[in-house]
Amino acid sequence: MTTWNPEEHVHQDIKDLIDRKTPNYTLALFDILHKLKLQRRTGWINNGIENPESISDHMYRMSIMSWILRSNEIDSARCMKISLAHDMAESIVGDITPFDVKIDKHEKHLRELSTIEYLCNELVKPYNPIAADDILAAWHEYEDQTTIEAKYVKDLDKFEMLVQCFEYERMYEGKKDLSQFYGCLNEITTDEVSEWATDLMQERSQYFDSLKE
Ligand SMILES: Nc1nc2c(ncn2[C@H]2C[C@H](O)[C@@H](COP(=O)(O)O)O2)c(=O)[nH]1
Ligand SMILES: [Mn+2]
């Protein structure tokens, strides 16, 4: 059980929208989600990338990747929803890397679980209970990896990061060592995303070869 409470990390201006006589839950939610546009991804910050992408940048491109998946074993629209929900709790929890020394995997899970429940049950549900349950279900699908769509999105989470990583390698003309990010390659399991990753790595190999010329 965590002592961490999402409501204690919500700005007073947003709390005022919720606590007033006629609460505006949707505006409060939208203001909380603003943080996804502002919060830059920690993995890149930790590696000295200037002006790195935000959490919403990451989820947006994952949603488009989901959209164009050709596999006939999945509902790509469901993958898009899972892509948009999977890091939504980071609007309050923040972007925690798998290597964070202060917050372990279990604490991260507890914080994100209490946050997504808060966002869905307190802010979305009063306006649209169906959407509230759908967002919460999509988050759990991803977190618990209970569907084939969630497995594809987990692959896209890694693949999108690697596409971004290669973009940063090119931005720094190969002078910044970001190779440790590619350690997650072997965690990509679906055929279609594995093919995308193979193509990406071929491009990367040709790029670094060209730097030697
Ligand atoms: N330094 C590393 N950072 C990593 C790695 N894998 C993920 N990350 C970063 C990327 C994000 O900032 C953060 C969490 O990403 P989620 O999409 O899972 O929320 O962790 C890595 O291998 N090295
Ligand atoms: Mn993610």
Side-chain angles (χ1 to χ4, degrees):
M1 187 63 189
T2 179
T3 55
W4 191 89
N5 176 346
E7 294 183 67
E8 290 169 10
H9 299 267
V10 173
H11 195 277
Q12 190 54 48
D13 291 353
I14 297 174
K15 282 183 181 167
D16 293 345
L17 278 170
I18 297 166
D19 298 338
R20 68 189 196 192
K21 213 160 83 199
T22 50
N24 191 325
Y25 294 110
T26 47
L27 205 49
L29 173 73
F30 301 154
D31 283 349
I32 288 171
L33 296 182
H34 180 215
K35 186 73 177 295
L36 295 172
K37 293 183 175 192
L38 302 175
Q39 178 73 51
R40 297 175 185 281
R41 295 245 288 162
T42 310
W44 311 126
I45 295 170
N46 291 349
N47 281 272
I49 303 293
E50 276 174 54
N51 190 28
E53 59 158 357
S54 68
I55 299 167
S56 53
D57 293 331
H58 161 64
M59 289 198 281
Y60 174 76
R61 185 156 60 179
M62 281 177 64
S63 306
I64 299 298
M65 289 175 174
S66 295
W67 198 341
I68 68 168
L69 284 169
R70 284 191 312 214
S71 168
N72 54 22
E73 63 175 340
I74 50 168
D75 170 358
S76 58
R78 187 68 189 162
C79 291
M80 292 173 74
K81 283 187 170 184
I82 295 169
S83 295
L84 290 169
H86 89 286
D87 281 344
M88 201 168 152
E90 294 183 8
S91 57
I92 296 179
V93 175
D95 182 49
I96 299 164
T97 77
F99 310 102
D100 193 296
V101 290
K102 283 180 278 172
I103 302 168
D104 66 21
K105 210 161 169 247
H106 183 55
E107 176 61 21
K108 174 178 185 285
H109 167 77
L110 293 175
R111 291 187 181 187
E112 291 182 353
L113 175 58
S114 60
T115 298
I116 198 71
E117 286 178 339
Y118 168 69
L119 295 175
C120 292
N121 296 333
E122 304 304 320
L123 302 183
V124 180
K125 186 158 276 190
Y127 183 78
N128 185 331
I130 295 169
D133 290 346
D134 195 26
I135 295 169
L136 192 55
W139 186 88
H140 273 292
E141 263 183 70
Y142 182 82
E143 189 73 2
D144 308 331
Q145 288 291 288
T146 52
T147 62
I148 183 71
E149 284 81 8
K151 293 191 188 329
Y152 271 80
V153 175
K154 191 81 171 171
D155 277 3
L156 292 178
D157 184 60
K158 295 180 176 32
F159 176 72
E160 196 283 330
M161 181 183 73
L162 297 182
V163 170
Q164 186 62 65
C165 191
F166 182 35
E167 285 159 356
Y168 288 142
E169 285 177 319
R170 294 200 303 276
M171 190 166 92
Y172 285 89
E173 296 174 343
K175 296 185 182 76
K176 191 172 272 293
D177 178 9
L178 299 175
S179 54
Q180 54 99 350
F181 284 89
Y182 295 91
C184 70
L185 264 173
N186 55 19
E187 295 168 35
I188 295 176
T189 57
T190 61
D191 291 346
E192 190 167 3
V193 184
S194 295
E195 282 167 28
W196 291 1
T198 301
D199 294 345
L200 176 74
M201 295 313 283
Q202 278 167 1
E203 291 298 320
R204 180 173 185 259
S205 175
Q206 285 168 19
Y207 172 73
F208 279 95
D209 286 347
S210 72
L211 293 183
K212 293 170 195 157
E213 288 162 3

